[in-house]
Amino acid sequence: MQIINCKMSYIFGDNIVFTTELKNNDYKIDIETSGDILSANMQTNKDFRDFKIEFYLKIDKKYTTLITNGYQTWIPAHKLSENKKPSKIGNFIIKNIYKGTGLEYISDFNDDKTVSSSYGFCYLKENNSDNILLFASLDEKDTFTKFNYDFERNVLKITRDFKGSSINKNFNLIKLIKIEENYDNAVNKLKELYKINDDNKAQKRLIADSTFSEYGNKINEEIINSKIHRLQKDYQMFIVGDGYSVNGYDLFSIDCKRFPKGLKSIVDNIHAKGIKACLWIAPFAISPLSKSFSKYQDLVVKQNEKPVTTCPFWNNSYSLDITKNESIEYLKNLFDLIINDWGFDAIYCDCMYMAGSVPLQGKTSAMLISDAINLIRELTKGTTLILGGVPFLSAINNCDYISISPDTKNNWNNPFDKLLPEFPLSIKSNVKGLIHKKILDDLYFSICTIPNNKKIKSKLLSLIAANCRNLIIPENMLKQTTYPAKFKLNEE
C-alpha cells in the first residue's frame, strides 16, 4: 500500500490540534504496511480527546468504479464512477429542516452525509474485468472506518474518528486489509479473515412474511390471523411488525382493542402452522408518545440535561442510555416478556444504531453499539436473532441474520430521492441499489424485505432473489411448489 499522506486532529486540554506529525514530544505513531495489511499504533502518556486520523492511499487508475457500503445495513450502496458532490439543496434540508428530528443520527454522526462515503469496507472495480481492489477494516469495536475516494487524483481517504473517547496509552488506531483478487476469491478471503462459519449456507433459504410490507403499522388481531391462515408451506417464519402498541412504539402497552387476546394467541396460531414466530422491535427506542414514557423517561440519552431526539420515527424518539444499570434491567424485562410470556422464538431487532447515536461515558458510537449487540445476544439466547439498522461489520457473527433493506412506504417513485440519495423514500431507489449489496449476502447471512408493490414484476423479483438468499416476501409474490425445497416466484 502506498500511503502518500496522513493527517490527525485531536483535543488536548482546551486546544484543538491539527497536524501531520507522526512523532513529537507528546506521542509517537508507528504505521506499518507490510504485505497487504495497514496497521497503525499510537504511543502516548498524554490524554487526547476526539482523536481522528486520516490515511491517504494512492490507487492504480485502472480501477475506475467504486462500490460503497452504507453506515447502516439498510442505507443504500452506490456505484460511483466520478466524484459525486452532495446536493446543496439536500444538505440544506438535512442541516436545517431535519435538524432536531433524529434524522441526522441515522447516517454518519460526525460528518455531512454524502453518497461517496463507504463504511467498514469498499471495493473498486477494473473495467472489463472481474478483478476488484477491496479494502476492509479488520476491527470496528473501537470506532468505524470510513472510506472516500477522489477519482480525479486516484486517492482513497481512510478515516478513523474516535469521537467521544480518550487516547492516553498505547493504542491500535487501525488494522485494515487490502485484497486484490477476482470477486469470488476476494469475498472468500475476507470471510476467512472475519472467521465467518459458512457451514449453514447450504441450508434451505429462509422465507418469511411480515405484516409491515402490506399493512405498515395498521394491524390488528384479525388481519394477522388472516395472513397466518393464508401462509403457504414455503414459509419458515412469520414476523409481527410495528403497530401493536397503544400509542407510539411501546412493548409494555399492547393495544387491547386491536389485540383483545394479546400477542400470545398470535404466537400460538403461528406455531400451529409449524413455523417460527418473530416479533419486530426497536429495543433502544423510547417514544415520548408511549403510555410508559413517564416511567422510563429518565433512561433516555441526554445532553445538557435534555433528552436528545435520535430517531425520526414514533414522534421523534429518544435512545435508551445503555450505560445505565436501570436500562439493562429495562431490556431484561422487555425480552423476558417477548420470549417467556408471549413465546416468540425469533426477534427482529431494528434501529440498533440508536444505542450509539451519541457518544457516552467515554465510549465512541462503535463501542456503544458493540456493547448493545453483546447485551442483546445474551438476553436472546436460544432465539433466532435478526439485526437491522446496524453497521454491517458490527453485526457479523453476532446474529443469525442481518437485514440489508429498509421498510419503505409503498411508493414506487419519490422526487426527494434525487435530493437525498442517502435516505431514499421510494421502492424504486431502494431496489435499484440492492444489486450493489450482493457482497453483504455473499459475506454473511443477510435478509431482504421485498415491498408489496405491483411494479415489482417477475424479472425484477428474480433479480432481487438472486442477490439475496433470504427474503421477507408477501404471500401473493410466491408460487406454491410441489417440492418444499424448491422456491419459485410468481409471474405477476
Side-chain angles (χ1 to χ4, degrees):
M1 277 184 259
Q2 183 186 355
I3 297 179
I4 59 174
N5 200 2
C6 189
K7 297 179 181 179
M8 285 78 66
S9 66
Y10 55 87
I11 298 175
F12 184 46
D14 295 327
N15 299 316
I16 300 177
V17 180
F18 298 90
T19 181
T20 58
E21 289 184 331
L22 296 178
K23 181 180 179 180
N24 58 30
N25 294 330
D26 295 327
Y27 65 83
K28 177 185 177 184
I29 297 177
D30 294 311
I31 299 176
E32 293 187 12
T33 56
S34 57
D36 292 325
I37 297 288
L38 165 63
S39 62
N41 184 72
M42 183 174 184
Q43 301 175 45
T44 183
N45 57 8
K46 304 294 184 179
D47 187 64
F48 301 119
R49 291 177 287 118
D50 293 358
F51 188 90
K52 181 168 78 171
I53 186 166
E54 298 172 347
F55 303 89
Y56 294 81
L57 274 62
K58 191 67 177 177
I59 304 297
D60 192 320
K61 62 182 179 181
K62 71 179 181 180
Y63 291 103
T64 57
T65 304
L66 175 73
I67 307 296
T68 68
N69 178 52
Y71 165 61
Q72 298 179 52
T73 52
W74 66 260
I75 290 178
H78 294 278
K79 179 180 179 181
L80 307 177
S81 56
E82 59 183 9
N83 279 336
K84 294 259 184 174
K85 294 183 179 179
S87 163
K88 291 183 179 180
I89 299 178
N91 275 349
F92 177 83
I93 292 174
I94 291 175
K95 292 181 179 180
N96 295 278
I97 297 178
Y98 289 153
K99 187 176 182 180
T101 66
L103 189 64
E104 64 266 37
Y105 291 97
I106 288 180
S107 188
D108 185 9
F109 177 76
N110 302 309
D111 205 352
D112 291 338
K113 301 150 192 68
T114 70
V115 297
S116 61
S117 296
S118 188
Y119 298 84
F121 65 87
C122 68
Y123 66 94
L124 294 108
K125 295 180 67 176
E126 184 179 354
N127 272 349
N128 303 317
S129 171
D130 192 35
N131 291 337
I132 68 170
L133 179 60
L134 186 149
F135 293 89
S137 174
L138 298 179
D139 184 6
E140 297 277 289
K141 290 183 179 179
D142 291 323
T143 192
F144 299 123
T145 308
K146 185 167 80 168
F147 302 88
N148 293 91
Y149 190 59
D150 185 333
F151 283 90
E152 294 179 2
R153 297 187 299 150
N154 302 113
V155 172
L156 182 68
K157 181 175 75 171
I158 304 170
T159 305
R160 296 271 287 179
D161 191 343
F162 298 87
K163 183 178 179 63
S165 68
S166 296
I167 296 177
N168 51 24
K169 57 183 178 180
N170 290 354
F171 194 82
N172 292 321
L173 296 174
I174 192 170
K175 189 172 183 181
L176 180 123
I177 183 74
K178 180 189 81 172
I179 303 175
E180 194 167 10
E181 294 266 7
N182 65 51
Y183 176 86
D184 291 336
N185 289 342
V187 169
N188 289 332
K189 187 172 182 178
L190 192 56
K191 284 200 296 189
E192 290 179 10
L193 291 167
Y194 287 152
K195 298 180 181 179
I196 296 173
N197 186 345
D198 218 18
D199 292 343
N200 296 326
K201 201 70 172 180
Q203 289 184 358
K204 182 180 178 181
R205 73 194 309 175
L206 173 65
I207 303 299
D209 197 2
S210 169
T211 59
F212 190 86
S213 61
E214 190 172 354
Y215 297 100
N217 60 1
K218 308 297 183 182
I219 59 174
N220 58 42
E221 189 175 282
E222 183 180 356
I223 286 174
I224 293 178
N225 285 333
S226 177
K227 279 184 68 69
I228 295 169
H229 179 74
R230 298 195 305 266
L231 280 183
Q232 303 172 21
K233 57 189 174 183
D234 298 280
Y235 286 95
Q236 295 93 43
M237 181 185 293
F238 184 86
I239 303 170
V240 178
D242 188 19
Y244 40 72
S245 62
V246 176
N247 194 16
Y249 170 74
D250 184 1
L251 264 178
F252 295 107
S253 300
I254 300 301
D255 192 326
C256 295
K257 292 182 180 179
R258 287 184 288 160
F259 295 91
K261 297 180 183 177
L263 295 184
K264 179 65 169 65
S265 67
I266 299 290
V267 172
D268 292 340
N269 287 339
I270 297 171
H271 285 164
K273 296 285 289 190
I275 63 176
K276 288 185 176 182
C278 179
L279 183 67
W280 174 95
I281 65 171
F284 304 110
I286 304 288
S287 170
L289 281 180
S290 68
K291 286 186 67 176
S292 60
F293 178 70
S294 59
K295 183 177 180 180
Y296 299 114
Q297 59 182 329
D298 291 336
L299 302 183
V300 304
V301 172
K302 296 179 181 179
Q303 287 183 328
N304 300 322
E305 302 301 319
K306 293 183 179 180
V308 182
T309 300
T310 57
C311 179
F313 311 121
W314 313 293
N315 200 46
N316 297 342
S317 295
Y318 308 124
S319 289
L320 185 72
D321 184 347
I322 65 168
T323 66
K324 295 182 176 181
N325 292 330
E326 296 87 350
S327 296
I328 296 176
E329 190 64 28
Y330 167 91
L331 290 170
K332 286 180 179 178
N333 293 334
L334 188 75
F335 287 103
D336 182 64
L337 185 66
I338 297 168
I339 298 170
N340 297 321
D341 289 7
W342 296 336
F344 282 97
D345 35 33
I347 304 175
Y348 185 143
C349 291
D350 206 357
C351 298
M352 294 292 288
Y353 77 92
M354 293 183 70
S357 294
V358 180
L360 295 168
Q361 300 295 321
K363 292 190 174 185
T364 66
S365 294
M367 293 174 186
L368 290 168
I369 291 174
S370 179
D371 289 346
I373 292 174
N374 290 334
L375 177 59
I376 294 296
R377 182 73 277 185
E378 179 66 25
L379 295 175
T380 59
K381 279 184 178 178
T383 67
T384 298
L385 179 61
I386 302 171
L387 293 183
V390 62
F392 185 73
L393 297 190
S394 300
I396 284 180
N397 293 326
N398 291 315
C399 62
D400 298 285
Y401 299 95
I402 303 175
S403 174
I404 63 171
S405 59
D407 293 323
T408 61
K409 292 185 178 180
N410 203 18
N411 299 323
W412 182 252
N413 279 309
N414 193 302
F416 281 101
D417 288 356
K418 293 183 178 180
L419 296 177
L420 296 171
E422 303 83 7
F423 311 119
L425 301 173
S426 71
I427 292 174
K428 182 179 180 180
S429 292
N430 285 301
V431 170
K432 184 179 179 181
L434 183 63
I435 190 170
H436 307 312
K437 290 189 174 187
K438 184 177 187 300
I439 189 172
L440 302 187
D441 188 56
D442 289 336
L443 283 172
Y444 200 70
F445 310 103
S446 299
I447 189 165
C448 172
T449 299
I450 297 181
N452 192 6
N453 190 285
K454 293 181 180 180
K455 290 195 175 183
I456 298 183
K457 303 297 183 180
S458 59
K459 288 184 179 180
L460 179 56
L461 204 55
S462 298
L463 177 64
I464 296 172
N467 282 278
C468 192
R469 176 177 174 80
N470 307 294
L471 302 172
I472 299 173
I473 182 171
E475 78 275 355
N476 62 303
M477 290 186 175
L478 279 183
K479 177 189 290 184
Q480 293 193 22
T481 60
T482 305
Y483 302 99
K486 292 184 177 181
F487 174 75
K488 290 185 179 179
L489 299 167
N490 239 331
E491 295 300 324
E492 299 295 330

